[in-house]
Amino acid sequence: MKKVGIIGGTFDPPHLGHLLIANDVREQLNLNEVWFMPNHIPPHKQNDTITPTEVRKAMLVAAVESNPYFRVESIELLREGPSYTYDTMVLLKKNHQDTHFYFIIGADMVEYLPKWFNIEKLLELVTFVGVKRPGYPVQSPYKITEVEAPEMDISSTMIRNRVKEGRSSLYLVPEGVKQIIEEKNLYG
């Protein structure tokens, strides 16, 4: 069976922390690939201002293009309304029956798992992988495969705030992402 990691999020913007986590999880769990899955409308961010879908996808494509084990999975971008992981994984399992999915989350998201839509059924579809993050323990009432990765205190929010303040995103995002941020005048 093929082993595929899924890392979801708004990726507004994707940054080096996302790539490092994906690579470490792929190596440690011997995954065939990691798919980056941008959300259309994350349920917990329905009232937030989010960069348009096509721009976030372009940044993500630029971020992963140099790694042959990474790809962008656009399934959530094709659906209307909030993106619930359970609904997405039902579709992915139907389309990729020969694949076992590992859903990668940061330790900051582990504590919210009890609030995820249809979490009990979702646990039957995926193996959750928790990656340590500064200031967050990987503790859950659910079975979580824990992976060690260098702790990088980088977030998309921090990058957006830096750019808004007129500071550079250099060394926080891949060069292709930095170029899109500058060309589209994002976050200013």
Side-chain angles (χ1 to χ4, degrees):
M1 231 176 163
K2 188 174 180 182
K3 294 167 58 175
V4 172
I6 300 275
I7 184 166
T10 51
F11 300 108
D12 194 12
H15 54 71
L16 296 180
H18 293 130
L19 300 174
L20 178 63
I21 286 169
N23 194 62
D24 274 10
V25 169
R26 189 193 69 74
E27 287 179 349
Q28 290 178 48
L29 298 182
N30 197 29
L31 303 180
N32 299 98
E33 295 179 318
V34 175
W35 299 353
F36 289 74
M37 188 170 65
N39 305 119
H40 177 59
I41 304 171
H44 63 289
K45 295 186 179 183
Q46 291 185 58
N47 298 321
D48 293 358
T49 302
I50 298 174
T51 301
T53 298
E54 63 277 358
V55 177
R56 289 186 295 119
K57 182 179 177 186
M59 286 192 289
L60 202 47
V61 168
V64 305
E65 69 185 355
S66 67
N67 190 320
Y69 299 106
F70 292 172
R71 78 175 180 97
V72 176
E73 171 51 66
S74 302
I75 191 168
E76 288 200 347
L77 300 179
L78 305 174
R79 297 196 341 249
E80 292 298 318
S83 298
Y84 290 103
T85 303
Y86 172 75
D87 296 333
T88 302
M89 294 314 302
V90 166
L91 289 172
L92 284 177
K93 287 293 280 184
K94 181 180 174 187
N95 295 338
H96 304 277
Q97 294 178 15
D98 65 337
T99 302
H100 182 79
F101 290 102
Y102 294 77
F103 203 89
I104 304 163
I105 56 175
D108 58 325
M109 290 301 295
V110 170
E111 67 182 286
Y112 293 106
L113 281 179
K115 298 176 183 175
W116 283 33
F117 178 70
N118 268 347
I119 185 63
E120 297 294 337
K121 290 181 181 176
L122 180 57
L123 288 163
E124 297 171 10
L125 300 176
V126 302
T127 297
F128 274 100
V129 178
V131 180
K132 288 187 175 181
R133 189 163 179 175
Y136 297 94
V138 179
Q139 297 175 345
S140 174
Y142 305 111
K143 185 175 188 276
I144 306 286
T145 299
E146 190 173 329
V147 170
E148 294 279 341
E151 295 184 358
M152 295 181 72
D153 196 12
I154 297 175
S155 72
S156 296
T157 301
M158 180 262 290
I159 294 167
R160 289 191 307 270
N161 289 339
R162 284 176 64 98
V163 173
K164 187 175 184 175
E165 295 166 0
R167 298 170 66 198
S168 174
S169 62
L170 185 65
Y171 306 121
L172 298 171
V173 299
E175 183 60 31
V177 174
K178 180 179 171 292
Q179 289 174 359
I180 292 170
I181 290 171
E182 291 171 355
E183 288 170 7
K184 303 263 184 209
N185 196 26
L186 299 177
Y187 317 127

